[in-house]
Amino acid sequence: MNILVIAVALAQAGAVPATATAQAETVGYVELATGEDAAALTAIENSIVDEQDPALLINEGIALARLGMTDEAVARFEAAMDSPERVSLETATGEWVDSRQLARRGLRMVRNGEFQQYVAANAR
């Protein structure tokens, strides 16, 4: 279940226009992968990528959840689930997942408290 915690990596070739999601899933990725959640959130918020892109919303949801901002994280995961745009995303472990499914997984993880270990680490 920790697949989401590591973050979204790449959009599947041909699934979406390369200009939108190909940029979105990389925004904040390195920071999330290295546990720099506040830096990831800053990178995402300062991004020029469409703020409604599902990959960007999922990465933002992860960063917010890890920082203990659960209401905001829930809102981002729900926005990704409700997005009219659906994309296949590759997780850091190499699994290809539909963006709506990945958003539902993130939402479930927030509600189950599965990000709490990161919240504690960020508090130090």
Side-chain angles (χ1 to χ4, degrees):
M1 189 62 95
N2 276 345
I3 293 169
L4 179 66
V5 172
I6 297 181
V8 175
L10 302 170
Q12 183 173 13
V16 294
T19 56
T21 299
Q23 293 174 358
E25 79 285 330
T26 60
V27 175
Y29 173 75
V30 171
E31 294 88 348
L32 286 171
T34 58
E36 299 173 47
D37 302 313
L41 188 57
T42 298
I44 292 164
E45 290 173 346
N46 292 329
S47 169
I48 60 169
V49 175
D50 178 9
E51 63 187 31
Q52 297 307 308
D53 185 287
L56 188 74
L57 288 165
I58 291 167
N59 279 359
E60 187 174 21
I62 294 166
L64 290 165
R66 287 176 163 187
L67 291 168
M69 303 168 77
T70 56
D71 291 340
E72 294 89 340
V74 165
R76 296 324 181 278
F77 289 130
E78 287 177 342
M81 286 180 354
D82 295 339
S83 174
E85 183 177 356
R86 289 181 88 151
V87 294
S88 291
L89 301 169
E90 183 180 13
T91 66
T93 60
E95 175 187 16
W96 288 98
V97 182
D98 177 83
S99 57
R100 290 181 186 168
Q101 181 182 354
L102 199 57
R104 278 192 298 276
R105 190 183 303 175
L107 186 59
R108 188 171 51 249
M109 290 175 71
V110 169
R111 291 184 173 153
N112 290 339
E114 295 181 47
F115 287 101
Q116 291 308 311
Q117 65 189 17
Y118 297 97
V119 174
N122 278 315
R124 293 180 201 159

